[in-house]
């Protein structure tokens, strides 16, 4: 973090500072839960006012700083049971929120590979052959088999399909309308201000700097320090402040963030004659690679979200999302609905799948952690929004309790008022069931699926597999991944060719492995840059430093598996001079997939060679 | 100027620049598909006008900047989160539609009435700023109509620069043909200035400015009076996104010399 | 049948703006063969009426005074209003010059009428209708109004100039005009040309040359060549008399401290928040041809692109011809051929 700070100079304007009572970092479902709860109390005229300690005489000063240029630009999803949401909004009427639909129908599909290019284990291939042989009985004309039974833990009946972007805008509008709290988008937080293990507030990102963070003339404005008695850290799974606190204060014994995925999706306008009904939920596995799960959710007005998850335990060093997503939507089981669909939006984000094992210190002197960055996502039920929202509500209730009692926001008090609430709730209970549910994937897809079912059905008592290692250890080699398909000499030749042309490897290798060229049609099948611009409306304001930095260029130069280039959702990280990748901050969507894909651990520590910091800009679509 | 200027900036929301726009028919006339869902920003040239107003106010003690905006209240609220961090201003909000197909004269009438109702309005110090042409109606008409309705007969359009002389005279640079600017001098307010981009860089986000602004912006939004506007007397016979697909001939394997010859022939053709 | 008036100012050199003759074509289309009268204001308006000889205009009202020499809202609005009132026309067509656009709406308001600007098409069949762009040239609408008078400001370049068949100057009638002091407060001091000295925006050029961000990127030898790029681009602009456009990304680079071209400013930006210029031909070089930029090419009739990427946006329906070639080599040769 420190290399982005201001060098002292005579001309440099002084760093300004101001004080509030509560500063929140990030506006996602967790902060939405927190501020909904808090703002309702602050606006309640029947209760005694909560006074500001930072500005005596004024009401409690609560601000939220959101990195993205608007609320709802940085999020994506979702299908949820919405228990916490409905508790906070008992009259929740999905027709009031654009793109929301009650869940009507859920299916799980196993997708066979009609292309023949995916890498399938012998066991899986045998299974596929058996399915094809029984095709008349199993109706596999679309190269897919519907599971006759969906495990209960995956059910979302009684829940909702939302566009997270729209949900966040709706919640944000409600919170703002109360007039009691402020939300500031386009305001990235660079770091928390930590002193002797206590958090004093936050420091915002410097503005008016060049790509290396150096002041650029008259427009330079050092990031303001916002001092606060309580900093609510809710910046999501890849947020800079959360990770800074993990490093500065340590994580609970044995906890670490090991398991990740990047979700990439399209939002589409379905064809006029679509048979798909709003509320339809489709989950898939098996294609484009067995490791890649997918989904299709149907919103009202013939809109659908379709996407895939590329996990950190998928050891291909050329793992890439966009091309796989293009093949996914062309799978016959999906293409029957998506042919002639039009691209409306596009986005990508990382999901922290470590669950309780990725839980940081939930509270300390001057701070509390809520949301996905606090390990609240349930990896068994694949559910995170409601959990995040609920942790926010829990913190809100705890803070209100403390303020009403005039108690300071110390670690002990926050643990008693917030953490205890969380531990006593369904979020914790269900999180414990999910704790080891995905360990089986460390051994392979089949083991993983069986392990999930086992964990789910035994309430978490039994699990398969083992705890994931640091994600860098999961990155395999090209030779191993393509063993039996492409000879090592040919791989080396392709690598040399791509390097000479300055291209990433994935297209050349996937082409060679038998993945067909994608027939661009200008409707749904478009170039990655077109998806970025026309779908994601990706933009970045000028005057900010690069937020992806390669710590030791020599490590990059020696690196033989530049996964960061391959996995980058936006082609913002590209092959660069002499091996160190080039970064184009105007394309970055801040998904953070690069941060958990880098295979170069610095001196064997948990820190990798790629530093992913707070930055401005990104997606400008509120439909994801 | 001893007492500074009263700068009233007229401007409203437009869709965020990269959004896909598609017209749809609504009972109120043409609109945009998913208009409520489209992320919105303050019209870019109106935003320039606001920043220029703030810069001018900072140099002329006693000045005040008021942003007067007619738009859907919820979207104005959202847009304010981005704008309010930039420069100090007060907001007067009117709750009504802000689409490009609304009638400029109806909008102008609402705005003019609101300007006249501003407390302590002093014509001798009034500068009416706005964007020259919006990114929605793109007509360059509304500001002019408001000026006329307020009987202000010194109006400038396509403004990139305003400087105030020691005698208080307003020197204005307006864009004219050929990439040039016309230089005019108006002895004193009132005056109307429809801004283009101006020359100022976009102000950085300043949380202190934001917090100070919010003290007046939130109450202003809460009291926003309803200001319904329609399409006026216009009958829209057709509203469409024109097709822009061509049959592209992709020429590979031609040497740069041959390409150059073909291009020069094409350029010289009439 | 609505009576139609062409209302325009006269230029400083005593001629009518070219856009006025184009607006006359629009006026004639709206008059459906009926009479079109004209009105001219400005210093030298009476003499300028001669430019309308042989255009079929039935009479010219003028407001001619030294006080109308400069483009100024107060006096221009008063003069234009007086002329329109004197004519009593139901439809008033004005050229979309900066001088007329400054007052068109104000004049409509004074006449109790309505105004539509940036008109790019007119129709008379089925009732008078105009075509204009909304949302920065992204949506096109055809509309009709019942209220009169209806002032229409016509976009330059949207219509062909009305041909003058020669003959007698139409009858000129001066309209008396008394300008109140409030119309004369502002004084025009003069004009200022761009500081850079290089005039790269040429609205009347036949060719628009768009230089994209690719000019500043690394070339085949692994190095960028900004000086060579600048030399090639400027040489083409000068030799071909082309107008220079650019994409937002290149124009923005100036703010990021990267070496960019000294002759390029945000005024050169085409598309997105930039301009939508009107030229017969457009040549895009080193530019991806992505939708937000290409929207600015709405009024470029013939389009060609030079790009090493055969899959760029231009190749997919946005240009007529895409040459997959190195722009540095191509432009070097183009400049040589144009010079020789």
């Amino acid at each position: 973090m420190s290399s982005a700070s201001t060098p002292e100079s005579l001309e440099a304007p002084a760093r300004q500072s101001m004080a509030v009572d509560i500063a929140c970092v990030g506006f996602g479902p967790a902060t939405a839960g927190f501020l909904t709860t808090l703002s309702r109390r602050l606006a309640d005229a029947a209760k005694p006012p909560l006074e500001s300690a930072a500005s005596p005489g004024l009401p409690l000063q609560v601000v939220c700083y959101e990195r993205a240029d608007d609320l709802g630009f940085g999020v994506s999803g979702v299908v949820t049971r919405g228990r916490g949401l409905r508790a906070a909004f008992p009259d929740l009427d999905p027709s009031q929120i654009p793109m929301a639909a009650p869940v009507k129908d859920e299916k799980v599909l196993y997708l066979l590979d009609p292309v023949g290019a995916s890498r399938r284990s012998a066991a899986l291939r045998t299974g596929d052959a058996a399915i094809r042989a029984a095709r008349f009985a199993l109706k596999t004309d679309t190269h897919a088999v519907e599971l006759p039974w969906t495990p209960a833990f995956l059910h979302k009946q009684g829940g909702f399909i939302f566009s997270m972007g729209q949900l966040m805008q709706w919640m944000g509008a409600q919170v703002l309308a109360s007039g009691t709290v402020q939300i500031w988008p386009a305001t990235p937080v660079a770091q928390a201000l930590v002193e002797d293990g206590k958090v004093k507030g936050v420091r915002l990102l410097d503005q008016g700097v060049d790509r290396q963070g150096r002041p650029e003339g008259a427009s330079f404005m050092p990031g303001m320090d916002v001092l606060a008695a309580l900093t609510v850290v809710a910046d999501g799974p890849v947020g800079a402040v959360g990770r800074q606190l993990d490093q500065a204060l340590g994580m609970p014994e044995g906890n670490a963030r090991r398991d990740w995925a990047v979700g990439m999706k399209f939002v589409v306008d379905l064809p006029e004659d679509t048979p798909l009904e709003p509320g339809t939920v489709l989950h898939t596995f098996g294609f484009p690679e067995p490791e890649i799960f997918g989904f299709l959710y149907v919103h009202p007005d013939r809109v659908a979200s379709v996407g895939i998850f590329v996990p950190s335990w998928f050891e291909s060093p050329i793992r890439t999302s966009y091309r796989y997503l293009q093949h996914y939507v062309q799978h016959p089981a999906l293409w029957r609905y998506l042919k002639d669909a039009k691209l409306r939006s596009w986005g990508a984000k990382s999901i922290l799948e470590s669950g309780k094992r990725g839980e940081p210190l939930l509270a300390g002197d001057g701070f509390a952690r809520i949301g996905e960055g606090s390990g609240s996502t349930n990896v068994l039920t694949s559910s995170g929004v409601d959990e995040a929202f609920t942790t926010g509500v829990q913190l809100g209730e705890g803070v209100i309790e403390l303020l009403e009692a005039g108690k300071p926001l110390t670690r002990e008090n926050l643990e008693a008022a917030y953490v205890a609430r969380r531990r006593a709730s369904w979020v914790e209970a269900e999180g414990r069931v999910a704790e080891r549910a995905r360990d089986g994937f460390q051994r392979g897809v089949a083991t993983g699926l069986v392990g999930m079912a086992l964990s789910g059905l035994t309430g978490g008592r039994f699990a398969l597999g083992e705890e994931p290692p640091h994600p860098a250890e999961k990155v395999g080699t090209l030779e191993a991944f393509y063993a039996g398909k492409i000879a090592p000499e040919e791989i080396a030749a392709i690598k040399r060719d791509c390097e000479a042309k300055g291209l990433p490897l994935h297209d050349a290798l996937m082409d060679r492995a038998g993945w067909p060229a994608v027939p661009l049609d200008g409707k749904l099948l478009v170039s990655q840059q077109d998806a970025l611009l026309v779908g994601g409306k990706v933009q970045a304001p000028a005057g900010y430093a690069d937020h992806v930095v390669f710590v030791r260029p020599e490590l990059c130069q020696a690196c033989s598996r530049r996964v960061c280039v391959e996995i980058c959702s936006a082609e913002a990280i590209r092959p660069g001079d002499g091996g160190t990748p080039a970064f184009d901050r105007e394309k970055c969507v801040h998904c953070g997939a690069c941060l958990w894909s880098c295979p170069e651990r610095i001196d064997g520590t948990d820190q990798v060679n790629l530093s992913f910091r707070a930055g401005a800009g990104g997606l400008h679509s509120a439909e994801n | 100027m001893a007492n500074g200027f009263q700068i009233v900036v007229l401007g409203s929301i437009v869709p965020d620049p990269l959004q896909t726009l598609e017209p749809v028919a609504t009972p109120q006339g043409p609109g945009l598909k998913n208009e409520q869902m489209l992320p919105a920003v303050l019209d870019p040239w109106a935003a320039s006008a606001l920043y220029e107003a703030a810069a001018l106010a900072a140099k002329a003690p006693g000045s005040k900047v008021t942003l007067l905006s007619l738009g859907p209240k919820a979207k104005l609220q959202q847009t304010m989160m981005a704008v309010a961090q930039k420069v100090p201003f007060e907001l007067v909000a009117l709750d009504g539609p802000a689409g490009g197909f609304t009638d400029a004269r109806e909008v102008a009438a609402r705005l003019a009435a609101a300007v006249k109702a501003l407390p302590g309005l002093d014509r001798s110090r009034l500068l009416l700023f706005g964007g020259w042409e919006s990114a929605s109606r793109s007509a360059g008409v509304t500001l002019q109509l408001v000026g006329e309705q307020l009987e202000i007969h010194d109006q400038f359009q396509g403004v990139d620069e305003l400087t105030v002389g020691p005698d208080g005279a307003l020197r204005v640079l307006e864009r004219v043909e050929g990439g040039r600017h016309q230089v005019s001098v108006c002895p004193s307010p009132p005056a109307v200035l429809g801004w283009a981009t101006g020359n100022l860089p976009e102000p950085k986000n300043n949380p202190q400015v934001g917090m100070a602004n919010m003290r007046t912006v939130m109450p202003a939004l809460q009291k926003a009076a309803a200001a319904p506007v329609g399409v006026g007397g216009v009958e829209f016979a057709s509203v469409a996104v024109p097709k822009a697909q061509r049959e592209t001939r992709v020429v590979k394997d031609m040497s740069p010399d041959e390409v150059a010859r073909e291009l020069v022939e094409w350029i010289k053709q009439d | 049948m609505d009576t139609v008036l062409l209302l325009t100012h006269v230029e400083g050199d005593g001629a009518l703006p070219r856009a006025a003759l184009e607006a006359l074509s629009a006026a004639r289309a709206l008059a459906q063969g009926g009479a079109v009268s004209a009105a001219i204001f400005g210093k030298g308006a009476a003499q300028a009426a001669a430019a309308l000889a042989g255009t079929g205009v039935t009479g010219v009202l003028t407001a001619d005074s030294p006080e109308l020499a400069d483009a100024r809202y107060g006096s221009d609005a008063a003069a234009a209003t007086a002329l329109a009132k004197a004519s009593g026309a139901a439809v008033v067509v004005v050229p979309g010059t900066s001088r007329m656009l400054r007052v068109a709406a104000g004049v409509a308001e004074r006449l109790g009428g309505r105004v539509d600007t940036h008109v790019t098409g007119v129709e008379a069949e089925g009732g008078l209708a105009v075509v204009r762009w909304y949302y920065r040239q992204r949506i096109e609408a055809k509309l009709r109004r019942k209220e009169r008078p209806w002032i229409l400001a016509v976009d330059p370049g949207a219509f062909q100039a009305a041909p003058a068949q020669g003959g007698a100057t139409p009858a000129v009638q001066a309209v008396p005009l008394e300008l109140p002091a409030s119309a004369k407060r502002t004084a025009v001091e003069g004009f200022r040309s761009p500081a850079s000295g290089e005039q790269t925006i040429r609205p009347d050029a036949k060719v628009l040359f768009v230089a994209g961000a690719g000019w500043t990127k690394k070339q085949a030898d692994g190095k960028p060549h900004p000086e060579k790029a600048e030399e090639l681009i400027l040489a083409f602009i000068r030799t071909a008399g082309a107008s220079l456009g650019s994409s937002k990304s290149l124009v923005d680079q100036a703010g990021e401290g990267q070496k960019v071209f000294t002759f390029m400013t945000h005024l050169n930006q085409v598309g997105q928040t930039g301009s939508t210029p009107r030229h017969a031909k457009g040549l895009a070089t080193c530019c991806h041809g992505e939708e937000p930029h290409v929207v600015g090419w709405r009024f470029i009739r013939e389009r060609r692109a030079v790009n090493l990427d055969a899959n760029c946006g231009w190749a997919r329906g946005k240009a007529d011809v895409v040459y997959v070639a190195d722009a540095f080599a191509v432009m070097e040769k183009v400049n040589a051929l144009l010079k020789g």
Side-chain angles (χ1 to χ4, degrees):
Chain A
M1 294 300 137
S2 55
S3 63
S5 65
T6 322
E8 295 310 315
S9 86
L10 283 171
E11 287 95 6
R15 185 182 299 281
Q16 292 180 295
S17 157
M18 69 176 199
V20 300
D21 297 294
I22 301 178
C24 304
V25 184
F27 187 85
T31 305
F34 177 69
L35 291 180
T36 297
T37 309
L38 188 57
S39 65
R40 282 175 178 171
R41 169 59 179 83
L42 291 173
D44 189 349
K47 296 229 171 86
L50 296 175
E51 292 218 346
S52 169
S55 307
L58 288 180
L60 200 72
Q61 300 291 294
V62 182
V63 292
C64 170
Y65 296 113
E66 163 56 41
R67 185 206 68 71
D69 287 341
D70 202 349
L71 305 188
F73 279 178
V75 292
S76 181
V78 69
V79 60
T80 176
R81 285 182 60 192
R83 285 170 285 170
L85 289 172
R86 273 183 284 124
F89 295 97
D91 302 319
L92 183 61
D93 174 9
S95 68
Q96 294 304 304
I97 305 171
M99 292 175 71
V103 172
K104 290 259 169 58
D105 180 36
E106 299 177 78
K107 282 203 251 290
V108 178
L109 288 186
Y110 171 63
L111 302 177
L112 293 111
D113 180 356
V115 159
S118 66
R119 191 195 62 148
R120 291 167 121 71
S121 63
L124 224 52
R125 273 181 278 128
T126 311
D128 289 354
I131 290 171
R132 286 205 178 89
R135 63 179 172 278
F136 297 109
L138 288 174
K139 289 201 278 201
T140 60
D141 50 330
T142 54
H143 297 264
V145 181
E146 184 183 324
L147 258 49
W149 157 89
T150 315
F153 55 78
L154 275 186
H155 282 175
K156 300 288 193 293
Q157 273 300 333
F160 305 98
I161 294 173
F162 285 118
S163 150
M164 272 288 288
Q166 290 301 302
L167 183 61
M168 288 302 98
Q169 296 214 330
W170 181 78
M171 288 192 180
Q174 314 261 326
V175 164
L176 277 176
S178 72
T180 58
V181 306
Q182 296 176 12
I183 307 174
W184 297 109
T187 310
V189 173
Q191 57 184 146
L193 297 168
V194 184
E195 222 176 277
D196 300 323
K198 297 187 216 289
V199 172
K200 302 289 192 183
V202 297
R203 172 168 292 177
L204 305 180
L205 214 53
D206 287 349
Q207 299 173 70
V209 296
D210 65 13
R211 291 180 53 185
Q212 284 71 42
R214 295 175 302 228
E216 257 191 335
S219 62
F220 172 59
M221 189 168 138
M224 183 173 287
D225 280 352
V226 180
L227 305 172
L230 176 65
T231 298
V232 176
V233 180
D235 54 355
V238 297
V241 176
R243 288 180 294 116
Q244 173 209 1
L245 289 185
D246 289 348
Q247 260 214 300
L249 307 174
M251 288 182 85
E253 185 69 41
N255 283 6
R257 297 153 167 247
R258 296 279 187 243
D259 214 10
W260 299 86
V262 56
M264 182 182 285
K265 69 188 275 191
F266 293 131
V267 179
V268 305
D269 279 322
L270 294 167
E272 298 255 340
D273 57 354
T274 184
L276 290 175
E277 295 278 319
T280 301
V281 174
L282 201 62
H283 284 122
T284 73
F285 63 105
F287 184 84
E289 298 279 3
E291 293 86 347
I292 296 179
F293 300 156
F295 64 90
L296 173 74
Y297 306 144
V298 184
H299 306 269
D301 303 321
R302 289 187 293 107
V303 177
S305 289
V306 54
I308 56 171
F309 301 101
V310 178
S312 59
W313 46 269
F314 177 33
E315 70 268 26
S316 162
I318 58 148
R319 62 185 185 223
T320 192
S321 305
Y322 191 76
R323 172 109 186 236
Y324 273 130
L325 178 58
Q326 289 182 304
H327 288 300
Y328 179 69
V329 300
Q330 292 178 82
H331 187 283
L334 292 155
W335 194 243
R336 62 183 155 160
Y337 302 124
L338 298 175
K339 177 177 184 309
D340 294 327
K342 259 195 80 192
L343 178 70
R344 221 174 119 122
S345 182
W346 169 89
K349 88 176 267 293
S350 283
I351 297 152
L352 178 58
E353 304 204 308
S354 294
K356 275 200 64 65
R357 285 215 205 95
E359 195 184 279
L361 296 170
L362 290 178
D365 284 323
F367 76 91
R369 309 271 301 259
I370 54 176
E372 192 172 353
S374 74
S376 57
T377 296
N378 186 308
V379 299
L380 174 61
T381 59
S382 293
S383 150
V385 172
D386 206 27
E387 285 74 2
F389 181 84
T390 305
T391 61
V393 171
Q394 289 159 353
L395 179 64
E397 290 171 348
V399 165
I400 290 171
E401 194 183 282
L402 292 173
L403 292 173
E404 282 177 344
K407 291 192 179 154
L409 301 169
T410 60
R411 182 176 56 81
E412 294 84 1
N413 291 340
L414 285 166
E415 279 179 357
Y418 157 53
V419 183
R421 269 187 162 83
R422 180 165 162 168
R423 296 282 181 239
S425 74
W426 59 267
V427 175
E428 174 77 15
E430 293 180 15
R432 276 203 225 109
V433 168
E435 192 158 351
R436 296 179 298 151
R438 296 176 68 94
D439 285 356
F441 287 111
Q442 300 306 310
R443 302 242 186 101
V445 182
T447 316
L449 292 170
V450 171
M452 273 183 82
L454 194 61
S455 266
L457 296 171
T458 64
R461 268 190 300 280
F462 292 102
L464 294 180
E466 59 264 345
E467 208 178 312
H470 187 287
E473 309 308 326
K474 290 302 290 188
V475 179
T477 64
L478 288 170
E479 292 71 24
F481 188 74
Y482 284 114
K485 208 163 203 182
I486 314 178
E489 306 81 57
E490 209 185 332
I491 292 176
I494 292 175
K495 273 188 84 169
R496 276 194 302 273
D497 190 48
C498 288
E499 214 150 309
K501 294 183 181 148
L503 292 174
L505 300 175
H506 55 258
D507 275 329
L509 283 167
M510 284 178 75
D511 287 344
R512 174 62 187 81
W515 290 99
V518 177
L520 300 183
D521 63 10
K523 286 194 297 216
L524 178 54
L525 299 173
V526 299
S527 73
Q528 195 163 355
Q529 288 307 302
D530 271 352
L532 238 84
L533 281 181
V534 179
K537 291 92 175 165
V538 176
Q539 303 161 53
Y544 289 91
D546 280 353
H547 54 274
V548 168
V549 172
F550 300 94
V551 182
R552 290 203 202 151
E554 64 275 16
L555 288 181
C556 292
Q557 277 150 26
C559 178
S560 59
R561 299 161 299 168
R562 299 195 187 100
V563 190
C564 57
V565 171
E566 313 296 333
I567 196 72
C568 179
S569 299
E571 300 184 310
I573 300 177
R574 297 282 287 182
D577 265 337
T580 310
F583 177 63
D584 184 349
R585 57 174 285 271
E586 287 198 22
K587 293 186 174 161
C588 178
V589 298
H590 303 259
C591 75
C594 53
L595 99 79
W596 48 263
S597 291
C598 174
E600 300 295 325
R601 296 170 74 168
I602 297 185
D603 301 329
T605 64
D606 274 1
Q607 209 199 330
V608 294
N609 202 38
L610 188 149
S611 173
F612 177 73
R613 304 170 180 179
L619 292 160
H620 269 228
S621 167
E623 297 186 359
N624 291 328
Chain B
M1 282 231 77
N3 299 318
F5 297 105
Q6 289 183 349
I7 314 176
V8 178
V9 183
L10 306 182
S12 188
I13 59 168
V14 297
D16 175 83
L18 291 186
Q19 304 302 318
T20 305
L21 304 183
E22 224 182 284
V24 289
T26 77
Q28 292 79 36
L32 292 176
K33 186 166 174 203
N34 303 315
E35 193 154 358
Q36 274 307 104
M37 279 173 62
L38 286 174
V41 296
L42 182 63
D43 176 67
W45 282 351
S48 297
L50 178 63
Y51 306 149
E52 294 280 348
L56 179 60
K59 284 187 267 194
S63 295
K64 179 166 146 166
V65 176
T66 305
L67 174 65
L68 170 56
S69 196
L70 195 167
K73 198 159 101 168
K75 295 208 84 78
L76 278 181
Q77 176 179 266
Q78 209 168 334
T79 313
M80 282 303 113
M81 293 188 294
V83 177
Q85 285 203 81
K86 300 290 190 183
V87 291
F89 64 90
E90 284 190 20
L91 175 70
V92 173
L94 298 172
D95 186 9
F101 300 105
T102 56
D103 180 57
R105 194 164 183 277
E106 284 190 32
V107 172
R110 297 272 179 202
L111 294 174
V115 173
K116 286 186 191 151
L118 289 174
L121 187 70
D122 178 354
R123 273 180 71 89
S124 71
R125 295 163 55 201
L126 175 64
L127 291 177
L128 196 65
F129 279 20
W132 174 26
E133 292 178 359
S134 71
S136 50
R137 197 181 299 102
S138 309
V141 154
T142 312
L143 189 59
Q144 233 180 92
L145 292 175
V146 176
E148 265 301 309
Q149 290 180 19
L150 296 175
E151 292 174 62
I152 301 177
H153 297 160
D154 291 284
Q155 299 202 18
F156 306 89
Q157 299 291 347
V159 178
D160 274 329
E161 193 182 292
L162 166 66
T163 40
V164 181
D167 54 351
L170 311 166
R171 173 177 269 96
V172 183
L173 262 64
E174 294 169 283
R175 291 186 185 186
V176 293
E177 283 74 8
R180 298 189 306 168
H181 286 89
Q182 172 170 298
V183 185
S184 307
V185 179
C186 177
S188 61
V192 171
L193 280 83
W195 286 85
T197 56
N199 294 316
L200 295 177
E202 180 162 338
K204 300 297 171 204
N205 289 345
N206 187 324
Q208 260 166 350
V209 167
M211 288 190 75
N213 276 341
M214 273 322 197
R215 300 219 173 96
T216 57
V217 165
M218 287 317 300
L221 285 166
Q222 280 160 348
K223 336 188 260 219
V229 294
V231 296
V234 174
E235 176 212 323
F236 283 95
S238 74
V239 184
V241 175
K243 302 268 171 287
Q245 210 63 6
R246 296 169 181 237
E247 287 295 315
T248 310
R249 173 168 67 96
V250 179
V251 174
K252 307 185 193 185
D253 310 320
M254 223 190 208
S255 73
D257 280 7
E258 292 173 305
V259 172
R261 269 194 288 277
E262 201 172 290
L263 279 177
V264 170
E265 200 188 298
W266 171 65
I267 289 170
K268 288 193 167 157
Q269 251 171 26
D270 251 320
Chain C
M1 186 81 104
D2 288 311
T3 47
V4 181
L5 172 75
L6 168 73
L7 171 58
T8 180
H9 59 93
V10 66
E11 304 271 59
D13 60 358
L16 288 184
R18 183 193 161 79
L21 294 170
E22 295 171 4
L24 179 54
S25 295
R28 282 161 60 159
L30 288 166
Q32 290 180 276
V36 173
S37 57
I40 307 174
F41 65 91
K43 175 157 167 261
Q47 271 101 302
L52 294 172
T55 60
V57 159
T58 53
V60 183
L61 299 173
T62 61
D64 191 336
S65 153
E67 290 181 328
L68 296 173
D70 295 320
R72 163 175 67 181
Y73 183 89
S75 39
D76 284 356
T81 305
L83 290 174
K85 272 205 179 118
S87 122
V91 176
V92 180
V93 180
V94 308
T97 57
S98 63
R99 186 164 181 180
M100 289 311 302
L101 286 176
R102 188 185 292 103
V103 298
V107 169
E109 187 66 13
R110 292 182 190 194
L111 295 171
R114 301 290 183 268
V115 62
D116 282 292
T117 59
H118 295 299
V119 169
T120 55
V122 298
E123 264 178 40
E125 202 63 45
L128 297 189
V130 302
V131 175
R132 72 175 298 275
W133 293 92
Y134 289 80
Y135 290 96
R136 288 223 188 279
Q137 290 83 36
R138 292 160 78 185
I139 294 179
E140 191 179 52
K142 181 160 78 175
L143 57 109
R144 299 191 167 92
R145 287 189 192 263
K146 292 203 193 63
E147 296 96 335
R148 298 290 183 267
W150 192 8
I151 288 68
L152 305 175
V154 170
D155 249 5
F159 291 84
Q160 300 274 47
Q165 259 104 33
T169 305
V172 171
Q173 186 194 330
V175 169
L177 182 65
E178 185 74 46
L179 287 176
S182 64
K184 299 186 282 187
R185 294 202 317 136
T186 292
V188 173
E189 280 192 350
F191 294 89
R192 200 184 283 183
S193 286
S196 72
E198 182 79 45
Q199 182 55 269
T200 60
I201 300 173
R202 303 195 176 101
D204 293 327
K206 283 237 265 302
V207 180
L208 170 73
F209 182 78
V210 164
W215 283 99
T216 60
K217 300 276 197 291
K218 291 195 202 103
Q219 299 306 311
D221 64 356
K223 299 202 227 2
H225 293 271
E227 289 89 8
K228 183 73 182 163
E230 180 161 329
E231 184 200 304
L232 289 171
I233 295 170
L234 277 181
F236 180 75
I237 304 293
R238 290 170 187 153
T239 338
S243 187
L244 177 68
S246 181
S247 59
K248 183 170 195 294
S249 53
L250 187 52
V251 155
D252 280 352
Q253 272 174 47
E256 305 240 0
Q258 270 184 263
K259 178 147 178 67
V260 274
F261 309 127
T262 52
F263 51 81
M264 209 173 256
T265 71
H266 62 256
L267 287 173
N268 292 101
Q269 183 187 322
V270 169
Q272 259 182 271
T273 47
S275 70
T276 312
R278 204 181 284 278
H279 300 275
K281 297 178 184 151
L283 178 61
T285 54
C286 303
C287 163
H288 279 299
E290 261 121 18
E291 191 55 35
H293 167 69
V294 177
V295 163
W297 282 63
R298 189 74 75 203
F299 303 131
I300 310 296
R301 278 206 302 275
E302 294 174 40
R303 308 174 186 180
R304 297 195 183 194
V306 179
N307 194 315
L308 281 166
D309 177 7
N311 277 322
C312 64
W314 299 109
R316 289 178 276 116
K318 294 179 186 162
D320 302 307
V321 188
V322 171
Y323 300 96
V324 182
D326 174 12
F328 278 78
V330 169
M331 293 317 295
E332 180 105 54
K333 188 68 182 172
V334 165
N335 290 339
L337 289 171
L338 283 176
K339 239 196 253 198

